Amino acid sequence: MRCLVTGATGYIGGRLAPRLLAEGHPVRCLARKAGRLRDVPWAARTEIAEGDLRRPETLPAAFEGVDVAYYLVHSLGQAGFEAADREAATRFAEAARAAGVRRIVYLGGPEPTADREVPSAHLRSRAEVGRILLASGVPTAVLRAAVIIGSGSASFEMLRYLTERLPAMVTPRWVHNRIQPIAVRDVLHYLVGCASLPPEVNRAFDIGGPDILTFEDMMQRYARVAGLRRRAIVPVRPLTPALSSYWVGLVTPVPNSIARPLVESLVHEAVAREHDIAAYVPDPPEGLTGFDQAVAAALAKVRDGEVETRWSTASGPDAPAEPLPNDPEWSGGTAYTDVRERAVHAGPDALWRVIEGVGGEHGWYSFPLAWSVRGWLDRLIGGVGLRRGRRDPHRLQVGEALDFWRVEEIVPGELLRLRAEMLLPGRAWLEMRVIRVDGEGSRYHQRAVFLPHGLPGHAYWGAVAPFHAVVFGGMARNIARQAEQAARPAPPGPAAGSGRR
């Protein structure tokens, strides 16, 4: 069956597409920009259709000939996300019905378990999207999952950083609410299986793992699996969801704009009320994955640098999609630049390895305090901050997040271009190039570009320009030095296996 995957640049969609391919289904991915999927390892085996759910005229070609359409997009973290998701789901449903799609599959969130509960905006929006799709006239399966445990998921990152960084913590009372988490591998199992549901099935299904826990239980069990000491957790009533989201944003890489709706959702108990899905899609042969096993698998992926997708991979529809403007198009406008270039006594390959390894645990090779302060300031004003890190410690792909940048272009061995996603009065890019020269060396070329928005943008550049010699100058100097050190032959040492790295 030909499957259309929306949200293929996101956390779940980026994992679902290769699994559908493995089952023999032809896959078409809908993306606003086809280039966002250029570097994923499975892209060559799929068809990429450019389209936008906010632009209905772009959808007919994407839905043509599709049997099963997966709806895996949301606008969480953006202002007015409920209206945006309502519009997107409506456009999706209309396009699917017009194209004669035989099945829609949607991954949503749990419904509150008590009538007296007022749903959070996040859960309310997920439920509304489900209703829109169920009423589309196309047979629809809505899978309702609570906390998804998997390397790189927003929920797992919240759990991981809170537990690892805080041996003792004061928490809101919702840490005692019951939750039925589910491993990402089991979510994908059900999503793939739903492609083969009989046509008369048009309903929602609750999906969850074998364990029902409180969030406090989850933190304590995470600590045990990760080899940490038991955490001291003291729930207090005054810590509201709003205050909790700032606390989560302070400690974890998840920004407040995403942390707040997720935290508000945790106020509700999230326990599956039925397991009817098993009558249509049997559980995995080895059984559903327990919480401890899911955490261990996720930690192994993080440790080995094999995280497939991360919550930060997806960018919102309002993110600038156009590349760095070239000079002729912007003649007459202001474009501030800071250009640095250095000779490197190392080959192009050694220099490229340093460039592609920038960010995350490796840092930015200059004035770490300045980068940290800039990241903290961005978090304080509601930005993503510097802690999103990177998916893979050695390799980058177009479209993925890198601290408070996003990879806009990468030419292996030659060019890395990053687009800023910190909050700025303008738009900014950072380019790093390898220039090949005759002989054994190379040259490092670095360019920062800033396009100001109005007077605040000009004032911002003027305020930070005095620090560029330290930050950007030091960055160029240290990247060159790191490449030279990496290219030097290792000194003779003790016999293999007897020393420490």
Side-chain angles (χ1 to χ4, degrees):
M1 291 174 288
R2 182 176 300 280
C3 298
L4 176 69
V5 177
T6 62
T9 59
Y11 178 71
I12 292 292
R15 299 188 181 211
L16 176 64
R19 284 159 178 82
L20 290 170
L21 289 168
E23 292 294 319
H25 301 302
V27 173
R28 180 183 297 157
C29 296
L30 178 66
R32 289 189 298 274
K33 295 291 180 181
R36 284 289 312 277
L37 291 169
R38 187 191 71 193
D39 294 334
V40 296
W42 43 264
R45 296 185 288 140
T46 66
E47 180 185 353
I48 310 299
E50 285 199 351
D52 189 334
L53 293 177
R54 299 181 303 173
R55 297 170 55 211
E57 71 277 7
T58 68
L59 300 181
F63 280 82
E64 184 179 358
V66 168
D67 298 302
V68 181
Y70 285 90
Y71 188 87
L72 302 171
V73 297
H74 61 77
S75 304
L76 189 66
Q78 303 169 45
F81 72 86
E82 288 187 83
D85 283 345
R86 183 183 308 118
E87 179 186 3
T90 301
R91 301 300 187 195
F92 180 94
E94 292 170 348
R97 183 173 61 251
V101 171
R102 300 190 314 191
R103 162 72 53 197
I104 291 173
V105 183
Y106 166 55
L107 179 62
E111 290 191 349
T113 55
D115 294 338
R116 59 182 174 80
E117 295 177 351
V118 178
S120 69
H122 173 216
L123 295 184
R124 186 170 61 234
S125 177
R126 291 297 182 96
E128 181 182 24
V129 168
R131 289 193 296 271
I132 291 171
L133 298 178
L134 287 167
S136 65
V138 178
T140 296
V142 175
L143 300 184
R144 298 189 296 218
V147 171
I148 296 177
I149 302 297
S151 59
S153 77
S155 297
F156 179 73
E157 294 285 275
M158 281 174 49
L159 175 67
R160 174 188 170 201
Y161 279 84
L162 287 173
T163 308
E164 291 186 355
R165 293 187 172 182
L166 299 176
M169 65 193 91
V170 175
T171 63
R173 293 175 62 87
W174 51 253
V175 298
H176 286 160
N177 289 348
R178 297 187 308 156
I179 301 167
Q180 192 167 353
I182 183 170
V184 66
R185 65 178 69 176
D186 294 335
V187 173
L188 294 167
H189 169 79
Y190 288 131
L191 286 170
V192 171
C194 280
S196 303
L197 288 175
E200 66 272 14
V201 175
N202 186 65
R203 56 163 292 184
F205 296 96
D206 289 344
I207 59 173
D211 300 308
I212 297 176
L213 308 166
T214 67
F215 201 84
E216 180 179 0
D217 293 335
M218 290 166 62
M219 287 190 285
Q220 299 292 11
R221 288 175 66 162
Y222 177 97
R224 185 169 66 246
V225 173
L228 304 173
R229 288 181 298 177
R230 183 175 176 82
R231 275 27 200 162
I233 299 173
V234 181
V236 293
R237 185 182 296 276
L239 206 51
T240 65
L243 291 174
S244 301
S245 67
Y246 287 111
W247 161 61
V248 170
L250 183 69
V251 176
T252 79
V254 182
N256 291 346
S257 58
I258 294 177
R260 181 162 186 167
L262 290 179
V263 167
E264 288 175 345
S265 300
L266 293 173
V267 172
H268 309 290
E269 290 203 337
V271 177
R273 285 170 282 185
E274 41 82 9
H275 190 52
D276 297 350
I277 187 67
Y280 302 96
V281 182
D283 294 343
E286 64 278 12
L288 293 171
T289 309
F291 177 81
D292 292 358
Q293 183 185 354
V295 168
L299 288 175
K301 294 284 188 183
V302 172
R303 181 184 62 247
D304 297 339
E306 296 179 353
V307 179
E308 259 183 278
T309 57
R310 297 183 70 226
W311 63 271
S312 57
T313 304
S315 61
D318 297 324
E322 66 273 20
L324 171 64
N326 54 38
D327 294 333
E329 294 178 5
W330 285 79
S331 57
T334 301
Y336 292 112
T337 61
D338 182 281
V339 179
R340 312 276 169 171
E341 191 166 292
R342 294 188 68 87
V344 183
H345 301 296
D349 291 344
L351 176 56
W352 176 250
R353 283 193 294 271
V354 176
I355 290 174
E356 194 175 10
V358 74
E361 297 298 323
H362 296 156
W364 292 88
Y365 296 106
S366 73
F367 203 2
L369 179 61
W371 287 96
S372 296
V373 169
R374 184 64 186 87
W376 277 105
L377 290 175
D378 192 54
R379 299 282 287 203
L380 286 174
I381 59 176
V384 296
L386 195 65
R387 292 194 307 231
R388 290 189 300 184
R390 49 184 294 158
R391 178 189 57 84
D392 184 293
H394 307 295
R395 296 288 179 264
L396 294 173
Q397 297 175 354
V398 165
E400 68 181 352
L402 176 61
D403 290 333
F404 49 36
W405 305 89
R406 190 169 294 275
V407 180
E408 183 174 85
E409 182 58 85
I410 184 168
V411 180
E414 298 181 20
L415 167 69
L416 174 63
R417 180 187 299 136
L418 307 175
R419 186 184 71 236
E421 290 194 333
M422 72 282 280
L423 296 180
L424 292 170
R427 296 163 54 206
W429 291 262
L430 177 63
E431 284 186 339
M432 292 171 272
R433 288 181 182 271
V434 175
I435 301 174
R436 299 175 183 270
V437 299
D438 295 336
E440 297 181 356
S442 56
R443 291 191 70 80
Y444 172 65
H445 180 88
Q446 176 181 294
R447 180 170 72 140
V449 179
F450 181 67
L451 303 178
H453 286 170
L455 185 59
H458 293 279
Y460 171 81
W461 182 265
V464 299
F467 301 99
H468 286 174
V470 176
V471 176
F472 289 134
M475 184 177 182
R477 183 171 57 252
N478 292 329
I479 284 177
R481 183 181 299 146
Q482 184 74 16
E484 291 168 351
Q485 291 176 353
R488 292 191 192 119
S498 62
R500 294 185 63 187
R501 189 174 173 184

